[in-house]
Amino acid sequence: MNITINEELRSFIDPLTANEYAALERSLLAEGCRDALVLWNDVLIDGHNRYDICQKHHIAFKTVQNATFASLDDVMLWMIDNHLARRSVSDYQRGVLALRKKDIVAARVAQRAAEPEAAQAAPDAAKVPESPPWNTREDVAKAARVSSNTISQIERIQKAATPQLVEAVRSGTISINAAANVASLPESVQIAAVAGGRKELQQAARQVREQKASSRPPKEPPADAEADLRAQVATLREKVDALGAENQVLRERLAALGESAA
């Protein structure tokens, strides 16, 4: 059987840890490959790790065809949806997958909009959604089951993080929040921090946060707060004036009592 591995599709799947791979290997050796591998023509689209282990140990396996796809983009979107639905996928990977799906669908919509109307109306034209399913960061975050702030941090990591830092956050050595801060540092500093381990990464992230905090200008109170403060000051002054007048009256009474006693 001729099975083709598309590395771009395979990259959608987080590599198994050594323990996870060993557990899957033990299961396949003991029980065989019970679930069929999914193919699109000769391209493997589901079951990459099982296929590797079956090839390694000459374990028999079955395959099933999914012929519903019209293009590689369709396959990518199907794979992304499959992985987004799995509980074992990390927050970081779900965010990356959701952002990737947004980019794929947005590009398809833009391409469809640029096609002549006749091509869009053709019976064999690919069915593309009229608009992206996620138009805001909040929509992407909902699909990935993370906060919109986390999606923003993942975007920063994708744009500026070194491969070493990406691997650290993917493996859980550093949190998404901390990695987004470290990603703002020069590449050489990022690499050195990753090499130093978890504590060094946390220290680097802390320094970035402190530097950002110190560079922020002091917050000015809003206009309504200033008005409230002025009103409070005016009220206090009125009370002081009233107390002063009352004290003056008391002094005059004491003086009058002293004169009458004399």
Side-chain angles (χ1 to χ4, degrees):
M1 181 181 298
N2 182 30
I3 294 181
T4 301
I5 304 298
N6 182 300
E7 291 301 330
E8 186 176 7
L9 295 180
R10 187 170 187 166
S11 70
F12 287 2
I13 307 166
D14 265 350
L16 297 178
T17 65
N19 289 337
E20 289 170 339
Y21 188 91
L24 179 60
E25 191 170 31
R26 287 194 299 271
S27 173
L28 291 173
L29 286 169
E31 304 173 12
C33 188
R34 295 179 298 176
D35 298 324
L37 309 183
V38 183
L39 300 176
W40 175 53
N41 299 323
D42 64 341
V43 178
L44 182 61
I45 61 176
D46 187 58
H48 289 78
N49 291 305
R50 283 176 286 137
Y51 177 68
D52 285 343
I53 295 172
C54 288
Q55 289 290 93
K56 176 182 176 182
H57 296 286
H58 305 288
I59 301 172
F61 58 86
K62 296 179 181 179
T63 64
V64 61
Q65 280 284 338
N66 190 328
T68 61
F69 307 123
S71 68
L72 188 62
D73 278 352
D74 291 336
V75 177
M76 291 180 179
L77 294 174
W78 179 84
M79 289 185 67
I80 289 172
D81 286 340
N82 271 0
H83 287 290
L84 284 175
R86 293 177 179 173
R87 294 182 179 180
S88 59
V89 180
S90 68
D91 287 351
Y92 176 74
Q93 182 67 357
R94 281 202 306 273
V96 169
L97 290 171
L99 288 168
R100 186 173 293 180
K101 179 175 180 179
K102 176 179 180 292
D103 291 342
I104 292 172
V105 177
R108 291 178 65 173
V109 170
Q111 182 180 3
R112 177 70 180 275
E115 292 176 352
E117 292 184 7
Q120 296 183 29
D124 59 346
K127 294 182 179 180
V128 180
E130 293 300 325
S131 60
W134 310 306
N135 297 314
T136 67
R137 183 175 285 117
E138 288 72 20
D139 295 330
V140 178
K142 184 178 180 180
R145 304 198 304 275
V146 298
S147 69
S148 57
N149 186 49
T150 297
I151 290 296
S152 177
Q153 291 168 348
I154 291 173
E155 287 178 313
R156 295 208 302 272
I157 293 169
Q158 287 185 300
K159 290 178 182 177
T162 62
Q164 294 86 346
L165 181 57
V166 170
E167 176 59 23
V169 67
R170 191 203 64 77
S171 65
T173 302
I174 184 175
S175 68
I176 295 172
N177 178 39
N181 282 312
V182 176
S184 66
L185 298 170
E187 290 187 2
S188 59
V189 178
Q190 293 184 40
I191 294 171
V194 173
R198 184 186 298 271
K199 288 186 178 180
E200 188 69 24
L201 284 166
Q202 291 174 343
Q203 178 63 24
R206 188 181 304 111
Q207 289 176 352
V208 172
R209 288 194 297 268
E210 290 173 353
Q211 184 177 5
K212 288 180 180 179
S214 64
S215 63
R216 293 192 192 105
K219 292 184 179 180
E220 295 183 1
D224 55 347
E226 291 183 1
D228 289 342
L229 289 173
R230 292 194 189 97
Q232 292 176 21
V233 170
T235 301
L236 290 173
R237 284 177 177 168
E238 290 176 358
K239 290 181 178 180
V240 170
D241 291 342
L243 289 172
E246 187 176 346
N247 286 337
Q248 181 62 32
V249 170
L250 290 173
R251 290 191 190 97
E252 291 176 356
R253 287 180 180 177
L254 286 173
L257 289 172
E259 291 175 358
S260 60

